[in-house]
Structure formats: C-alpha cells, structure tokens
Amino acid sequence: MIAPASGTVEGAHAFVVHVPVDARGLALSILAAVAVVFALDWMQTFFVPLLLGIFLTYTLNPFVILLERIKVPRLLGTSMVIVVFVCAFALGVYALRGQMQTIFLQLPQAASKLSASLVNIRDDPGGSLQKVQTAVGEMEQAGSQITGVPPVHKQRVTHIVIDKPGFKLGDVMWAGSVSALGFISQATMVVFLAFFLLASGDTFKRKLLRLTGPSLSRKKITINILSDINNSIQKYMFMLLVTNVLLGLLSWIAFRWTGLDNAGGWAVTAGLLHTIPYIGPMFTAVATGMVAYLQFDSWSMGLLVAGTSLAIATFIGTFVTTWVTGRIAKMNAAAVFISLLFWAWLWGIWGMLLGIPIIVIIKVISQHVEQLQPVAEVLGE
C-alpha cells in the first residue's frame, strides 16, 4: 500500500511504500538455511567423495559414449576407461616420484634459508631497515629535547617458555600413514562410484523421470534440467582439463628456460594446484620462488621464477578459464567469487575445488524452477 508522507516540501511528492513481510516464513527460511549449512559441514566426509565421483563421471562419460558408438558394450567400455585412467594416473605418479620427493625435501630447506636471509637483512647494521630504526630513534630524542618530554621507554617483558614434547619419528610416521591410508581409501571410493555411475548409463535419469510423476510438463522440465547440467558440467570439466594441461606445458617451458631443477615435477604440481582457484597459483609461485632462491642463491632469480609462474597462472586463469567458464555457465563473476568464499569457508580446499561445479548445477536448476528464479538472476550475468 502506498501513502503520501506528511511534512513534505511544497511542490514535491514523497511516498512511503509499505511492503508486507512474512516474518514467520522468513524465520523458517533462515532456520532451514542454517540447518542445511550445518548438515553440509557435518556430512563433509560423505558429500566430498560423492561429488568427486559424480564430476569424475561427467569427465569420463564422453570416452564411454565414444566406445559405445563403435559397438563396445557399456560395461566393457566403462571398465576400459576406468582402467586406463587409473593406470595413467599411477604411471604419472611413478614417473615423477623422484622429482616429487626432491621437491618435498627442498621446500623445508628453502623456507629455512629464506627465513635466515630475512633475519640477516633485519640484523645487518648497514642495512636499510636498521638505518630506518636508527633514524626513528634519533627523531624521538630530538622531539623530546624540543618538547621537554622524555621519550617513553619500553618496559622489559618477561617471556614464558613452554616446553613442547620432543620430536618422535614414530608418531610422525604413524600420522602420515594414517592420512595416506585415508586418502587411498577415499580415492578408491571415488573411482568405484564413478565406475558404477558410468556403467549404469541413463538408469538414474529414468528413475528421476518416474519420480516426477505422470505430468508431461514436469517430465519435460526434469529432462531439460538434467540435459543442461550434463552439458554444462561436461564442458566445464573438459575446459578444466585442457587449461590445466596448457598451464603445465607453459610452466614446464618457463621452468626449463630459467634452469629450475625438477621442472617436470613443478609443472605437474602447477597444473594440479591450478584446479584450486586463487590459492593454488599463489602457493605454486611462492614455492617455486623459494626453491629457485635455494638453488641459485639469488633474490632476482627467485623473484623471476615466482613472477613467471604467477604470470602464466594469471594469463590462463584470466583470459582462458574465466572467458570459457563465462561462455559455458554465463555466470556473474562477483557472485561466483562470493560463492567460492562460502564453499572455501565450509569445506576448505575441497570447497574451492568443487565450488564452481556446484554453482553451475545450482544455476541450471534455478533457471528451470520458478521459485528459484531470484537465485538464477543473482548468479547470472
């Protein structure tokens, strides 16, 4: 209801808009959203492997369909694709195991050398930082002489040292073995889930159509949603594969050009970490910069390698990944970034890795459901 406001300036008309608010419905919606977030956090160990298996299925499904077109049975084609995928991954890990071990050993050494170098710069009497501190002290003394107020001296601070338990190699090995076994078990679950989903074909799609009821309009909406999700996710995963391979190739060329040791291992690491938006490329740049400083004992080479890695990741992420993702999903970049922050807060690294495919699915569903049109409008361009 719209009513004129009192006390307005002569010749001007002001109106007050009364918008009805369903307080009870709003409260229930907020409680439902909090409950969903709590459930997603509590069931993270279930949802993360489930989503990884589903997205792996979308990635490998085109190869299974290609084998079906040449008259290969789906079960046999699925088995062949899964075996090739697992073997390729295992061979890649085995071929790069030496370089990966060297990388893991170099990182602590590089961090120690870098921290020692920073301490030397801070404590150097002729260094810039020490000169700035001396100049500040002289300015304080000069100011106290002019104003007659003595400078404030810092009181001595009593430091309390807490003895930590000693290092035990057995505890570290046990913790590492437990985490490794957990990773292997999770990876095995993901592979088996992808195998069963690929082997089932359109079984789940037919079941969802039956659950929608006899209405033809609902069946049509369900088919459109599943088709759009299938196309969007497959295109996104294929784009992710191509861009990461391209980034790994360019990183390998750049690392070989700068003379960095274990260029192949660092290129593979850069390609894998690029799947994690923002954090992955930054970690790669920092790690390669520290290792380059350890190898060449030069700040300029460390900054060159780190800057080159960051420049390649920025080029691929900004001009290739962002453009292709926008063409595939037609999403608002700001809304996508906020959504990534939410999933990173909820699931950490896994949330950043799975955030964009989840957002794509939410946008596709929102476009076809009338009640969720505001969500599609917010996520859209």
Side-chain angles (χ1 to χ4, degrees), residues 342-361:
F342 168 76
W343 289 107
W345 167 77
L346 187 65
W347 287 348
I349 297 298
W350 290 117
M352 298 197 70
L353 180 63
L354 301 172
I356 293 181
I358 294 174
I359 299 167
V360 172
I361 293 175

Side-chain angles (χ1 to χ4, degrees), residues 32-79:
V34 172
V36 169
V37 172
F38 176 78
L40 290 173
D41 185 25
W42 180 54
M43 301 181 67
Q44 176 182 351
T45 55
F46 169 76
F47 281 116
V48 169
L50 176 63
L51 292 173
L52 287 175
I54 292 174
F55 295 147
L56 180 61
T57 302
Y58 279 115
T59 306
L60 301 179
N61 189 51
F63 301 102
V64 178
I65 294 175
L66 182 63
L67 292 176
E68 274 191 317
R69 291 177 180 174
I70 58 177
K71 307 303 180 181
V72 177
R74 188 170 185 90
L75 181 60
L76 179 60
T78 300
S79 302

Side-chain angles (χ1 to χ4, degrees), residues 262-342:
N262 305 311
W266 279 115
V268 172
T269 303
L272 293 176
L273 290 178
H274 191 255
T275 57
I276 304 173
Y278 306 109
I279 294 180
M282 289 298 299
F283 177 81
T284 303
V286 172
T288 52
M290 290 194 305
V291 172
Y293 174 73
L294 176 65
Q295 177 183 342
F296 300 104
D297 197 15
S298 170
W299 282 100
S300 59
M301 287 301 299
L303 294 175
L304 174 63
V305 172
T308 303
S309 175
L310 193 60
I312 294 173
T314 303
F315 170 76
I316 297 295
T318 303
F319 297 100
V320 180
T321 306
T322 303
W323 181 78
V324 176
T325 303
R327 293 292 300 272
I328 291 172
K330 298 180 180 179
M331 293 186 298
N332 182 7
V336 171
F337 182 75
I338 294 172
S339 302
L340 282 175
L341 290 179
F342 168 76

Side-chain angles (χ1 to χ4, degrees), residues 100-116 266 283 286-287 290-291 293-294:
M100 290 298 180
Q101 290 176 357
T102 305
I103 288 173
F104 286 127
L105 292 176
Q106 282 182 338
L107 284 177
Q109 299 176 6
S112 300
K113 185 175 180 180
L114 183 62
S115 62
W266 279 115
F283 177 81
V286 172
M290 290 194 305
V291 172
Y293 174 73
L294 176 65

Side-chain angles (χ1 to χ4, degrees), residues 22-271:
D22 185 5
R24 183 177 181 181
L26 180 61
L28 290 176
S29 300
I30 294 175
L31 290 176
V34 172
V36 169
V37 172
F38 176 78
L40 290 173
D41 185 25
W42 180 54
M43 301 181 67
Q44 176 182 351
T45 55
F46 169 76
F47 281 116
V48 169
L50 176 63
L51 292 173
L52 287 175
I54 292 174
F55 295 147
L56 180 61
T57 302
Y58 279 115
T59 306
L60 301 179
N61 189 51
F63 301 102
V64 178
I65 294 175
L66 182 63
L67 292 176
E68 274 191 317
R69 291 177 180 174
I70 58 177
K71 307 303 180 181
V72 177
R74 188 170 185 90
L75 181 60
L76 179 60
T78 300
S79 302
M80 293 170 60
V81 170
I82 291 294
V83 168
V84 169
F85 170 77
V86 173
C87 291
F89 181 79
L91 288 176
V93 173
Y94 180 78
L96 295 173
R97 70 189 189 283
Q99 295 190 24
M100 290 298 180
Q101 290 176 357
T102 305
I103 288 173
F104 286 127
L105 292 176
Q106 282 182 338
L107 284 177
Q109 299 176 6
S112 300
K113 185 175 180 180
L114 183 62
S115 62
S117 178
L118 293 175
V119 170
N120 291 333
I121 292 176
R122 184 193 65 185
D123 297 338
D124 185 11
S128 300
L129 183 61
Q130 195 68 27
K131 291 179 180 178
V132 170
Q133 292 178 351
T134 304
V136 170
E138 293 176 354
M139 291 174 63
E140 289 180 352
Q141 292 180 359
S144 63
Q145 292 176 0
I146 295 174
T147 60
V149 179
V152 179
H153 297 282
K154 296 182 179 179
Q155 297 181 355
R156 297 182 61 182
V157 180
T158 303
H159 298 278
I160 301 175
V161 180
I162 301 176
D163 292 333
K164 298 182 179 180
F167 174 79
K168 294 183 179 180
L169 181 60
D171 294 341
V172 175
M173 294 179 63
W174 172 251
S177 63
V178 171
S179 60
L181 289 175
F183 174 78
I184 293 174
S185 63
Q186 295 284 347
T188 305
M189 291 171 56
V190 170
V191 171
F192 273 102
L193 176 60
F195 172 80
F196 289 124
L197 290 177
L198 286 171
S200 62
D202 296 333
T203 302
F204 286 97
K205 183 182 294 186
R206 293 194 299 268
K207 290 182 180 295
L208 287 175
L209 290 177
R210 293 172 187 171
L211 292 174
T212 56
S215 175
L216 293 178
S217 60
R218 289 186 177 182
K219 290 181 181 293
K220 184 178 180 180
I221 292 174
T222 304
I223 291 175
N224 291 334
I225 291 175
L226 294 176
S227 177
D228 289 348
I229 290 176
N230 182 69
N231 294 333
S232 299
I233 296 299
Q234 281 191 358
K235 289 179 181 179
Y236 174 76
M237 298 304 291
F238 180 74
M239 178 273 302
L240 197 64
L241 177 64
V242 172
T243 53
N244 289 343
V245 170
L246 178 61
L247 183 136
L249 180 61
L250 293 178
S251 299
W252 177 74
I253 295 173
F255 294 154
R256 287 291 301 270
W257 173 70
T258 55
L260 185 67
D261 293 338
N262 305 311
W266 279 115
V268 172
T269 303

